[in-house]
Amino acid sequence: DKLTKGQVSEIKNFSSPPAAVNQVLTAVAVLFGKGGGDWATLKKHTVGDANFLTNVKHYDKDNVSDAKLKKLAKFISDPTFDPEAVMKVSSAAAALCIWCHAIDVYSKVFKEVEPKRNKLKKSQNTLMTKQKALKVAEDALAIVIAKLDELNAQYEKSVGEKNALRDEAEMLENKLMTAEKLVSGLGGEYVRWQNSIAGFRASIEFSIGDSLVASGFLSYLGAFDTSYRATITDAWLTELKDNAIPFTENYDFAKFLAKPTDVRQWNIDGLPADGFSTENGVIVSRSLRWPLMIDPQGQANKWIRNKEGGELKIIDLKMKSMLTTVENAIQFGSPVLLQDVLEELDPSLEPVLSKAIMKIGNRRVLKLGDKELDYNEDFRLYITTKMGNPHYTPEVATKTTIVNFAVKQQGLEAQLLSTIVQKEKPSLEKEKSELVVKVAAGKKQLVDLENKILKLLSESTGSLLDDDDLVETLQVSKVTSEEVNEQLKVAEEKELIINQSRVEYTSASVRAAIAYFVLNDMARVDPMYQFSLDAYVDLFNLSIDSSRGAEEISVAERCKVINDYHTLAVYNYTCRGLFERHKLLFSFQLCTRIMERDNKIQKAEFDFFCFGGVVVDRSDQRQNPCPDWIDANTWDNIAELDKIPQFMGIASAFDQGPRDWKNWYMSAKPESEPLPGDWENKCSNELQRMCILRSLRPDRVLFSATSFVSQNLGQAYADPPAFDLKVIYQTSSVYTPLIFVLSPGVDPTAQVMQLSDQIGVTMENCALGQGQEPVALGMVNRGVETGSWAFLANCHLMISWMPVLEKVIDNYVESETPPHPNFRLWLSSSPNPYFPIAVLQRGVKMTTEPPSGLRANMLKLYNTVSDEQFARCGMAFKYKKLLFSLAWFHAILLERRKFKSLGFNIPYEFNESDFAICHDLIIVFLDEYPDRTPIEAMRYLIAEANYGGRVTDGLDRRLVNVYITQFICDDAIGMEEYPLSELDAYVVPADGDLESYKDAIKMFPQNDHPAAFGQHPNADISSQIDDTNVLLNTIISLQPKVIKEGEATPEEKIMEQASKMAEQVPALFNMRETKMTMDARSDPDPLKTVLYQECDRYNMLLGKLHKELKDITLAVQGLVIVTPELEMTMDALLDFKVPTAWAFAYPSLKPLASWFRDLGKRIGTFQSWIGTSMPKVFWIPAFTYPSGYNTALLQTSARKNGIPIDTLNWEFPILNQEPEAIAQAAKEGSYVNGLFLEGARWDLDSGHLSQPLPMELFSAMPVIHFKPVESKKKGSKGIYSCPIYLYPFRSGSRERPSFVISADVKSGNQASDFWVKRGVAMVLSTAV
């Protein structure tokens, strides 16, 4: 096809063709059977033929002869016969060359394929024949197969029907089984659901009452303790019952509103596991108002921190970023803990507290300050205070939910029981916890399965039998229900076993709880006595571990070991932080509370020991058989003691054996002497002996109390542990500040510096004061980093900066980078109610007190004198004598304070700097005036300028001058062994070195006799009675207000008491009638004026008494509001004390019963004056302002004699007559009686002061003539200027001084200075 006519013509046109073209045409000619020849012949036979192209195309290629092929082979084998080579010459010739090659190849192939074609054809013919035969056979087979298919179809149909029937049978059988499972499962659920439905129906029915009580509980009871909550709840439930409102039997607030799993999680987060704390957790979680938690022990704070975790923002009102933090938390929904608030909250928080949320469009907005904040519903606010008994305003109380987290006895017992069981039987606590989890998980699974079943039932569209998931769920639910029920049974059984095992340790937890609350009560005695509950629990754990021995003992014995060890550990731990005067109080409280819990103390006996005999009306009292040595108040005690069953007949015992009782009464140590008669055997315990001692010899009560503690707790509790700073330091850590609670005149800096030198630690100290904040902060920060000690002294002088220090301590305690392990923060402060409670609770407290006793004080002073200083003075002999006298003078002034009012009118804080200055002064004067010792100058500068600079009372200054005159004198220098007192033991030693003087001081008696101070032995008794009264009043103030079964409630007691007192309160003076009556009298006008003024004052008092006693009766009945003032009055009356609100008319130290009798006598005096005539002898204690009465006497005398009042003065002649024997009133001035002499006795026979009788603390003065005179004679020898005071508290108050006037009386055989040292004075009213 590639050869065209043009190409053929091309070849024809060759006249002399190339060899290749010639060769190709020769080959073509051979194929056409033409012979070779020249070029013309070749062209003729090939391309010259008109049909050449047709012949080429239709060449019979199938029948090429072998001869042609043989000839052609010659060309084919020729290398030059190649189409590509020929192409170079002629394309037409190349095409023909290709054709020749193709014919050659085809012919050779054809010769091989042809025979096979023929054979194929023959086979195909045979195949056709066979296929025809097969077709016939296949047709026959198709007929057979059709019949077979028909039979197979019938078979398959029959088998299908059979299988369908069998499957249907199996399905029905399965459905029957499923139906049985479904019926069984639903049947089990039916029973459970029926019970649940019954429970739900009951709950729905009871929900009205339950919800009412729960809402009331949430709204009102959070602030109260567990017992009051139970009382109010019971009262509410009774009201519901009376009004036929249904409620759940054995209603439980916590179970009603909280899930057990939630409660357990709260416990894990730190909420105590007792019921009271659980109720608090429910209130905090469920209340719609923000909770304000009263949290003195920090348990709520700890729980909230753990509960909220890392998202919690902690702030306080002192933080600068407080509002910013709250703003962010409101917008982002973070929880906020506002801690350590006081009684007033920041007004800027008011919108947050009141939840003043506005809706603006779709936004919920809270406006805080000038900002509008998008309110996030996840925001939560918690508020805590460390105050134990705060008083919040109604505005705060209504906007928050006040929740009382203050731990109580019952709650702490439960907490400590868990602690001890965890320590002693850890498997029990673990098993109990696991049971709770397991049962809670099973119950939760049941609820989940129940919900799933209900979901599947509600969503099921077909047959329930086809819902395999439902059936399987029912089966699982049934099994789970059985397992849970079984677990509940096992849990109940195990819980009984666990609780029985736990109960065995109850005695240890009870004892530990008692000790904690005694410890906690001490904060009411002194604000610095703050102790952390966490630290106490740590101490309890340490006691449990430390008391464990190698031997196995019974649980009861183990508890006894723990109790003994822990009680002593608490005593030792606490004593180092108590002042000496409070250590006996603490041990006595600890002892009595323990014995009270063990029912070893009768309440009636203990109440009598505390209150004594309270008698308002003596009209039906048994007559006093021994009035010569038993005063009226002492007999009140005996008469009231006789009413207690155990003491019945004791009053008559004084009739039967007065001499024996007097001997016992007059003995030096009656607590150690057997009681008279058979009363030694009748008194079966020490407390009963103490009741008798308290009645007759209150001065010995402290000694008896020490013995009582020693007998019942052990001698270790009567001997406080010695103070060892190093041991205390070793118990501290870097996180616990060491706090010195200071006493006047003591500086612990030297002790701390000495300890730092011993340990080898650098110490920096700073005395706090104005401008010292940066210095103090720098010291603390350096200590935290480098491990040095920081001592911040006198924290009470910068109390406003203490919250900053508290923050600093919190920061390094909570810091991720711990402080240097050697760092310690030392603080010192005088007692101050505003010292941060958190610092006190976290710290280790120590008290520092000056040495007690003359010997110890003098040794301390001499230890401050160095050998160089002792040898500094050139006049060594004089110096040593005067130095000893000065040290004695200083010690006397310090120790004299123990005699209370007989010591100084005002207690002064003399310190070592006073001594040091006077010490230098003596050296200077002796060196400056070697020839003549300037005694007078020394006395003046020491007594008036230096020590006298602290003395503000003139009579106290008189005392100081008397002492300085006695001790700093020429005889002290020149006399051998100059006596410093009437006792031989106290003398100025002979000349020697410094050590010899110290040795001489060490020979002084250990206990100071009152005579060393110039006092009578009765002075000791007086101060001891004061100490006893302080102890008993403190015990009364610490007594829990509890009611025992069968006793009257406080409300019943106060109502009865108020009713009796109201009957005895005198009527008010009718001032109109009084003035009308007095106008007709000739009584001096100044005295009438005084009468009117006194009546007005008493009317104010009587009116208040009438009103308040009436209000108390109405308040108990709920008819009037109990104001804070009225509440204080009620509390005081319950404690048999005079309410503060009644003390405005005149000062008094009398207890309630004596005060009431005294008031009646005062009113009677003025009623008699008004109703009869002016008294001939005035009972001067009746006057609220005796100085006004004295002025009236001066005015009367001045008017009568026509002389200026300012020229008049007083004389005080004393009459040796009874008031009843005086027939006429004094011509000048007035006769007065009713005064008592303290520190001395008036000798009627000799007409002068004399020594008091033993045990005679006050003696009645005879009638005194208060006589105005125009010119008073100059005081002569033998006269004592005796001050007169309103009452025994001689300093009085700033508003109402106690001093009235000084009366010159004869001093008798003793010089005036003798009575000055005795502290002799007259008082218008005693304290009994």
Side-chain angles (χ1 to χ4, degrees), residues 971-993:
D971 286 345
I973 300 171
M975 184 184 294
E976 189 78 18
E977 294 189 345
Y978 176 73
L980 296 169
S981 76
E982 60 189 77
L983 301 175
D984 296 337
Y986 302 107
V987 295
V988 177
D991 188 23
D993 59 10

PDB file of all heavy atoms in Angstrom, residues 971-993:
ATOM      1  N   ASP A 971      23.431  54.853 159.454  1.00  0.00           N
ATOM      2  CA  ASP A 971      23.564  53.603 160.207  1.00  0.00           C
ATOM      3  C   ASP A 971      23.799  52.418 159.282  1.00  0.00           C
ATOM      4  O   ASP A 971      24.474  51.451 159.657  1.00  0.00           O
ATOM      5  CB  ASP A 971      22.311  53.351 161.047  1.00  0.00           C
ATOM      6  CG  ASP A 971      22.236  54.268 162.260  1.00  0.00           C
ATOM      7  OD1 ASP A 971      23.281  54.872 162.585  1.00  0.00           O
ATOM      8  OD2 ASP A 971      21.143  54.385 162.854  1.00  0.00           O
ATOM      9  N   ALA A 972      23.215  52.453 158.078  1.00  0.00           N
ATOM     10  CA  ALA A 972      23.421  51.350 157.130  1.00  0.00           C
ATOM     11  C   ALA A 972      24.894  51.232 156.751  1.00  0.00           C
ATOM     12  O   ALA A 972      25.371  50.143 156.406  1.00  0.00           O
ATOM     13  CB  ALA A 972      22.583  51.574 155.882  1.00  0.00           C
ATOM     14  N   ILE A 973      25.627  52.358 156.844  1.00  0.00           N
ATOM     15  CA  ILE A 973      27.051  52.345 156.525  1.00  0.00           C
ATOM     16  C   ILE A 973      27.879  52.007 157.762  1.00  0.00           C
ATOM     17  O   ILE A 973      28.768  51.162 157.731  1.00  0.00           O
ATOM     18  CB  ILE A 973      27.485  53.716 155.962  1.00  0.00           C
ATOM     19  CG1 ILE A 973      26.710  54.037 154.687  1.00  0.00           C
ATOM     20  CG2 ILE A 973      28.992  53.729 155.682  1.00  0.00           C
ATOM     21  CD1 ILE A 973      26.910  55.457 154.187  1.00  0.00           C
ATOM     22  N   GLY A 974      27.536  52.649 158.868  1.00  0.00           N
ATOM     23  CA  GLY A 974      28.407  52.541 160.035  1.00  0.00           C
ATOM     24  C   GLY A 974      28.096  51.390 160.957  1.00  0.00           C
ATOM     25  O   GLY A 974      28.975  50.888 161.660  1.00  0.00           O
ATOM     26  N   MET A 975      26.834  50.918 161.000  1.00  0.00           N
ATOM     27  CA  MET A 975      26.465  49.876 161.946  1.00  0.00           C
ATOM     28  C   MET A 975      26.847  48.500 161.420  1.00  0.00           C
ATOM     29  O   MET A 975      26.652  48.196 160.248  1.00  0.00           O
ATOM     30  CB  MET A 975      24.954  49.939 162.231  1.00  0.00           C
ATOM     31  CG  MET A 975      24.500  48.941 163.300  1.00  0.00           C
ATOM     32  SD  MET A 975      22.708  48.948 163.543  1.00  0.00           S
ATOM     33  CE  MET A 975      22.459  50.573 164.218  1.00  0.00           C
ATOM     34  N   GLU A 976      27.356  47.698 162.308  1.00  0.00           N
ATOM     35  CA  GLU A 976      27.668  46.310 161.968  1.00  0.00           C
ATOM     36  C   GLU A 976      26.365  45.535 161.822  1.00  0.00           C
ATOM     37  O   GLU A 976      25.507  45.556 162.719  1.00  0.00           O
ATOM     38  CB  GLU A 976      28.525  45.697 163.079  1.00  0.00           C
ATOM     39  CG  GLU A 976      29.090  44.321 162.754  1.00  0.00           C
ATOM     40  CD  GLU A 976      30.298  44.397 161.836  1.00  0.00           C
ATOM     41  OE1 GLU A 976      30.914  45.486 161.717  1.00  0.00           O
ATOM     42  OE2 GLU A 976      30.622  43.363 161.241  1.00  0.00           O
ATOM     43  N   GLU A 977      26.207  44.864 160.684  1.00  0.00           N
ATOM     44  CA  GLU A 977      25.011  44.059 160.407  1.00  0.00           C
ATOM     45  C   GLU A 977      23.742  44.889 160.656  1.00  0.00           C
ATOM     46  O   GLU A 977      22.874  44.538 161.469  1.00  0.00           O
ATOM     47  CB  GLU A 977      24.988  42.768 161.229  1.00  0.00           C
ATOM     48  CG  GLU A 977      26.099  41.796 160.852  1.00  0.00           C
ATOM     49  CD  GLU A 977      25.943  40.443 161.519  1.00  0.00           C
ATOM     50  OE1 GLU A 977      25.157  40.338 162.486  1.00  0.00           O
ATOM     51  OE2 GLU A 977      26.604  39.485 161.069  1.00  0.00           O
ATOM     52  N   TYR A 978      23.655  45.990 159.915  1.00  0.00           N
ATOM     53  CA  TYR A 978      22.500  46.872 160.033  1.00  0.00           C
ATOM     54  C   TYR A 978      21.227  46.108 159.666  1.00  0.00           C
ATOM     55  O   TYR A 978      21.124  45.492 158.595  1.00  0.00           O
ATOM     56  CB  TYR A 978      22.674  48.082 159.117  1.00  0.00           C
ATOM     57  CG  TYR A 978      21.487  49.005 159.082  1.00  0.00           C
ATOM     58  CD1 TYR A 978      21.195  49.825 160.172  1.00  0.00           C
ATOM     59  CD2 TYR A 978      20.647  49.052 157.973  1.00  0.00           C
ATOM     60  CE1 TYR A 978      20.103  50.676 160.151  1.00  0.00           C
ATOM     61  CE2 TYR A 978      19.545  49.889 157.944  1.00  0.00           C
ATOM     62  CZ  TYR A 978      19.277  50.706 159.039  1.00  0.00           C
ATOM     63  OH  TYR A 978      18.188  51.546 159.024  1.00  0.00           O
ATOM     64  N   PRO A 979      20.207  46.109 160.562  1.00  0.00           N
ATOM     65  CA  PRO A 979      18.979  45.346 160.279  1.00  0.00           C
ATOM     66  C   PRO A 979      18.137  46.033 159.199  1.00  0.00           C
ATOM     67  O   PRO A 979      17.879  47.232 159.277  1.00  0.00           O
ATOM     68  CB  PRO A 979      18.267  45.338 161.632  1.00  0.00           C
ATOM     69  CG  PRO A 979      18.766  46.565 162.342  1.00  0.00           C
ATOM     70  CD  PRO A 979      20.185  46.765 161.880  1.00  0.00           C
ATOM     71  N   LEU A 980      17.717  45.216 158.222  1.00  0.00           N
ATOM     72  CA  LEU A 980      16.873  45.743 157.152  1.00  0.00           C
ATOM     73  C   LEU A 980      15.389  45.530 157.443  1.00  0.00           C
ATOM     74  O   LEU A 980      14.541  46.039 156.723  1.00  0.00           O
ATOM     75  CB  LEU A 980      17.251  45.062 155.824  1.00  0.00           C
ATOM     76  CG  LEU A 980      18.683  45.354 155.354  1.00  0.00           C
ATOM     77  CD1 LEU A 980      19.061  44.429 154.199  1.00  0.00           C
ATOM     78  CD2 LEU A 980      18.839  46.804 154.944  1.00  0.00           C
ATOM     79  N   SER A 981      15.096  44.729 158.438  1.00  0.00           N
ATOM     80  CA  SER A 981      13.719  44.507 158.862  1.00  0.00           C
ATOM     81  C   SER A 981      13.748  44.044 160.298  1.00  0.00           C
ATOM     82  O   SER A 981      14.817  43.926 160.916  1.00  0.00           O
ATOM     83  CB  SER A 981      13.042  43.449 157.974  1.00  0.00           C
ATOM     84  OG  SER A 981      13.485  42.159 158.330  1.00  0.00           O
ATOM     85  N   GLU A 982      12.580  43.764 160.848  1.00  0.00           N
ATOM     86  CA  GLU A 982      12.519  43.281 162.229  1.00  0.00           C
ATOM     87  C   GLU A 982      12.963  41.838 162.356  1.00  0.00           C
ATOM     88  O   GLU A 982      13.098  41.310 163.455  1.00  0.00           O
ATOM     89  CB  GLU A 982      11.098  43.452 162.768  1.00  0.00           C
ATOM     90  CG  GLU A 982      10.058  42.680 161.979  1.00  0.00           C
ATOM     91  CD  GLU A 982       8.640  43.042 162.393  1.00  0.00           C
ATOM     92  OE1 GLU A 982       8.152  44.112 161.999  1.00  0.00           O
ATOM     93  OE2 GLU A 982       8.053  42.242 163.146  1.00  0.00           O
ATOM     94  N   LEU A 983      13.192  41.161 161.234  1.00  0.00           N
ATOM     95  CA  LEU A 983      13.658  39.783 161.246  1.00  0.00           C
ATOM     96  C   LEU A 983      15.186  39.759 161.278  1.00  0.00           C
ATOM     97  O   LEU A 983      15.850  40.536 160.585  1.00  0.00           O
ATOM     98  CB  LEU A 983      13.154  39.029 160.018  1.00  0.00           C
ATOM     99  CG  LEU A 983      11.627  38.951 159.858  1.00  0.00           C
ATOM    100  CD1 LEU A 983      11.285  38.289 158.529  1.00  0.00           C
ATOM    101  CD2 LEU A 983      11.014  38.157 161.000  1.00  0.00           C
ATOM    102  N   ASP A 984      15.754  38.856 162.044  1.00  0.00           N
ATOM    103  CA  ASP A 984      17.197  38.773 162.187  1.00  0.00           C
ATOM    104  C   ASP A 984      17.893  38.315 160.912  1.00  0.00           C
ATOM    105  O   ASP A 984      19.088  38.564 160.742  1.00  0.00           O
ATOM    106  CB  ASP A 984      17.548  37.811 163.335  1.00  0.00           C
ATOM    107  CG  ASP A 984      17.049  38.333 164.675  1.00  0.00           C
ATOM    108  OD1 ASP A 984      16.862  39.557 164.777  1.00  0.00           O
ATOM    109  OD2 ASP A 984      16.838  37.509 165.591  1.00  0.00           O
ATOM    110  N   ALA A 985      17.176  37.629 160.033  1.00  0.00           N
ATOM    111  CA  ALA A 985      17.811  37.048 158.843  1.00  0.00           C
ATOM    112  C   ALA A 985      18.236  38.115 157.837  1.00  0.00           C
ATOM    113  O   ALA A 985      19.142  37.878 157.024  1.00  0.00           O
ATOM    114  CB  ALA A 985      16.860  36.058 158.175  1.00  0.00           C
ATOM    115  N   TYR A 986      17.604  39.253 157.877  1.00  0.00           N
ATOM    116  CA  TYR A 986      17.853  40.266 156.860  1.00  0.00           C
ATOM    117  C   TYR A 986      18.695  41.406 157.434  1.00  0.00           C
ATOM    118  O   TYR A 986      18.173  42.297 158.138  1.00  0.00           O
ATOM    119  CB  TYR A 986      16.537  40.808 156.311  1.00  0.00           C
ATOM    120  CG  TYR A 986      15.644  39.749 155.701  1.00  0.00           C
ATOM    121  CD1 TYR A 986      14.492  39.340 156.364  1.00  0.00           C
ATOM    122  CD2 TYR A 986      15.963  39.152 154.486  1.00  0.00           C
ATOM    123  CE1 TYR A 986      13.667  38.367 155.817  1.00  0.00           C
ATOM    124  CE2 TYR A 986      15.141  38.179 153.937  1.00  0.00           C
ATOM    125  CZ  TYR A 986      14.005  37.790 154.605  1.00  0.00           C
ATOM    126  OH  TYR A 986      13.207  36.830 154.065  1.00  0.00           O
ATOM    127  N   VAL A 987      20.011  41.371 157.164  1.00  0.00           N
ATOM    128  CA  VAL A 987      20.925  42.417 157.633  1.00  0.00           C
ATOM    129  C   VAL A 987      21.902  42.751 156.517  1.00  0.00           C
ATOM    130  O   VAL A 987      22.086  41.966 155.576  1.00  0.00           O
ATOM    131  CB  VAL A 987      21.711  41.965 158.889  1.00  0.00           C
ATOM    132  CG1 VAL A 987      20.782  41.752 160.073  1.00  0.00           C
ATOM    133  CG2 VAL A 987      22.529  40.718 158.596  1.00  0.00           C
ATOM    134  N   VAL A 988      22.542  43.935 156.622  1.00  0.00           N
ATOM    135  CA  VAL A 988      23.585  44.298 155.666  1.00  0.00           C
ATOM    136  C   VAL A 988      24.849  43.532 156.062  1.00  0.00           C
ATOM    137  O   VAL A 988      25.323  43.677 157.205  1.00  0.00           O
ATOM    138  CB  VAL A 988      23.853  45.807 155.698  1.00  0.00           C
ATOM    139  CG1 VAL A 988      25.002  46.163 154.740  1.00  0.00           C
ATOM    140  CG2 VAL A 988      22.599  46.579 155.334  1.00  0.00           C
ATOM    141  N   PRO A 989      25.383  42.689 155.189  1.00  0.00           N
ATOM    142  CA  PRO A 989      26.534  41.855 155.577  1.00  0.00           C
ATOM    143  C   PRO A 989      27.805  42.681 155.761  1.00  0.00           C
ATOM    144  O   PRO A 989      27.890  43.845 155.357  1.00  0.00           O
ATOM    145  CB  PRO A 989      26.663  40.871 154.411  1.00  0.00           C
ATOM    146  CG  PRO A 989      25.973  41.511 153.281  1.00  0.00           C
ATOM    147  CD  PRO A 989      24.929  42.426 153.831  1.00  0.00           C
ATOM    148  N   ALA A 990      28.795  42.034 156.351  1.00  0.00           N
ATOM    149  CA  ALA A 990      30.089  42.679 156.584  1.00  0.00           C
ATOM    150  C   ALA A 990      30.791  42.937 155.261  1.00  0.00           C
ATOM    151  O   ALA A 990      30.464  42.336 154.215  1.00  0.00           O
ATOM    152  CB  ALA A 990      30.955  41.796 157.483  1.00  0.00           C
ATOM    153  N   ASP A 991      31.802  43.795 155.314  1.00  0.00           N
ATOM    154  CA  ASP A 991      32.556  44.171 154.116  1.00  0.00           C
ATOM    155  C   ASP A 991      33.212  42.934 153.499  1.00  0.00           C
ATOM    156  O   ASP A 991      33.726  42.058 154.202  1.00  0.00           O
ATOM    157  CB  ASP A 991      33.615  45.200 154.492  1.00  0.00           C
ATOM    158  CG  ASP A 991      34.296  45.778 153.262  1.00  0.00           C
ATOM    159  OD1 ASP A 991      33.677  45.726 152.183  1.00  0.00           O
ATOM    160  OD2 ASP A 991      35.424  46.281 153.382  1.00  0.00           O
ATOM    161  N   GLY A 992      33.192  42.842 152.180  1.00  0.00           N
ATOM    162  CA  GLY A 992      33.800  41.699 151.489  1.00  0.00           C
ATOM    163  C   GLY A 992      33.781  41.917 149.994  1.00  0.00           C
ATOM    164  O   GLY A 992      33.459  43.010 149.498  1.00  0.00           O
ATOM    165  N   ASP A 993      34.110  40.843 149.263  1.00  0.00           N
ATOM    166  CA  ASP A 993      34.092  40.958 147.806  1.00  0.00           C
ATOM    167  C   ASP A 993      32.686  40.685 147.276  1.00  0.00           C
ATOM    168  O   ASP A 993      31.748  40.408 148.047  1.00  0.00           O
ATOM    169  CB  ASP A 993      35.119  40.008 147.178  1.00  0.00           C
ATOM    170  CG  ASP A 993      34.856  38.551 147.537  1.00  0.00           C
ATOM    171  OD1 ASP A 993      33.780  38.265 148.109  1.00  0.00           O
ATOM    172  OD2 ASP A 993      35.724  37.699 147.255  1.00  0.00           O
TER     173      ASP A 993
END
